[in-house]
Amino acid sequence: MNKHIKPYQDSNLSKKKQVEQMFDNISHKYDFLNHFLSFGIDKIWRNKTIKVVGENNPKYILDVATGTGDLAFVAQKKLNPNKIIGLDLSNGMLNVGRQKSKKRGLNEIIEFTQGDSEKLPFEDNLFDAVMVSFGVRNFENLIAGLSEINRVLKKDGKITVLEFSKPSMFPVKQAYGIYSKYLLPIFGAAISKDKSAYQYLPESVAAFPEGESFLRKLETAGFNSFFMKRLSGGIATIYSAKK
């Protein structure tokens, strides 16, 4: 999945290692850039995602590709679970999340751990819910990552994914195309000092198997009872499915 779409095309490292390096490089500006480049809409998307996550009242939640923990913090506030584990490849991103958690007095509830989504360090049938925001398109092997999520979910547990997609309606499609191709890389590079990271973002979105194609990937990984909702004219999409 997306093996040829990598952050640093001149690097011989695997996509997985490049993604880790990229997020380490931009971790110090990641939260600001998320909110600035999305005009704050990403906060609305996360709230809508947590509504889907919370439908089964989960108490033990895994947040894969947690980054700095933004989705985990919304889940803690809205759902009041017993425990959330945030897992990510990038220790730079995790350290930002740990600082935020400590500042908010949430270290007992939200735990951050470094790990690989394709080799989750957890036993079978452990979590009530697994969530991923803007992370599945970075998986080196999408089916392997989704299958691992299926493995660690309890029976009838739910996966919920928030991911960028490609809008198809006028004029959102045209405006988003100009913004993602030209403006986003310029602003992202200027603020983060990593030009490749914000060129990779629209390229990875373009290559991602969105919509019905992604639902079929979930089915291949062993999930059923699918749900999909487009957001903001199709700029992002929420997916969910059950084990």
Side-chain angles (χ1 to χ4, degrees):
M1 152 47 186
N2 294 357
K3 288 186 178 180
H4 301 296
I5 305 298
K6 300 178 182 179
Y8 308 107
Q9 296 297 334
D10 58 348
S11 171
N12 292 323
L13 293 174
S14 67
K15 177 177 179 176
K16 194 175 299 182
K17 285 295 183 182
Q18 288 190 34
V19 167
E20 179 182 355
Q21 179 183 344
M22 177 187 73
F23 282 114
D24 281 345
N25 289 343
I26 66 174
S27 59
H28 62 298
K29 291 290 187 179
Y30 182 79
D31 282 347
F32 171 78
L33 280 165
N34 255 4
H35 307 323
F36 175 75
L37 293 174
S38 72
F39 307 102
I41 298 173
D42 62 307
K43 297 179 181 179
I44 297 172
W45 294 342
R46 287 187 180 88
N47 282 325
K48 290 180 180 292
T49 301
I50 292 304
K51 284 186 179 180
V52 176
V53 175
E55 289 172 350
N56 296 335
N57 193 29
K59 291 302 178 184
Y60 197 24
I61 301 172
L62 174 63
D63 184 21
V64 173
T66 189
T68 64
D70 272 358
L71 192 66
F73 290 118
V74 178
Q76 184 278 324
K77 182 178 180 180
K78 301 285 187 180
L79 306 182
N80 193 32
N82 296 331
K83 187 77 173 182
I84 302 174
I85 296 180
L87 177 137
D88 203 278
L89 282 172
S90 167
N91 209 40
M93 298 285 277
L94 291 169
N95 282 336
V96 175
R98 291 175 183 124
Q99 292 167 12
K100 289 158 64 173
S101 185
K102 182 178 180 181
K103 185 177 180 180
R104 301 176 193 189
L106 296 173
N107 283 350
E108 295 299 315
I109 300 172
I110 301 178
E111 175 186 335
F112 291 98
T113 184
Q114 189 174 24
D116 183 349
S117 60
E118 296 169 31
K119 297 177 182 177
L120 294 174
F122 308 109
E123 62 188 67
D124 297 356
N125 309 308
L126 184 61
F127 296 97
D128 301 309
V130 178
M131 53 191 192
V132 193
S133 60
F134 308 117
V136 291
R137 76 180 188 284
N138 296 323
F139 289 4
E140 189 162 40
N141 185 317
L142 180 57
I143 295 299
L146 295 177
S147 297
E148 271 292 271
I149 289 172
N150 184 282
R151 178 183 66 79
V152 302
L153 271 170
K154 293 178 181 177
K155 188 178 184 304
D156 296 322
K158 184 163 70 173
I159 180 176
T160 305
V161 172
L162 171 63
E163 189 53 87
F164 288 116
S165 47
K166 299 178 284 292
S168 58
M169 23 181 322
F170 178 87
V172 180
K173 176 182 178 180
Q174 288 72 17
Y176 178 75
I178 293 170
Y179 176 72
S180 64
K181 186 175 181 179
Y182 300 107
L183 299 181
L184 188 149
I186 291 172
F187 287 119
I191 296 170
S192 72
K193 309 303 181 187
D194 189 322
K195 181 180 178 180
S196 295
Y198 287 89
Q199 289 179 332
Y200 164 75
L201 193 155
E203 291 173 355
S204 65
V205 173
F208 182 70
E210 63 170 317
E212 294 292 335
S213 295
F214 183 64
L215 295 183
R216 288 195 291 272
K217 299 289 186 183
L218 288 168
E219 185 175 25
T220 299
F223 290 99
N224 59 76
S225 302
F226 307 105
F227 166 86
M228 178 175 66
K229 181 178 182 180
R230 301 277 187 181
L231 305 174
S232 301
I235 296 174
T237 303
I238 299 172
Y239 307 89
S240 76
K242 289 185 178 180
K243 178 174 179 177

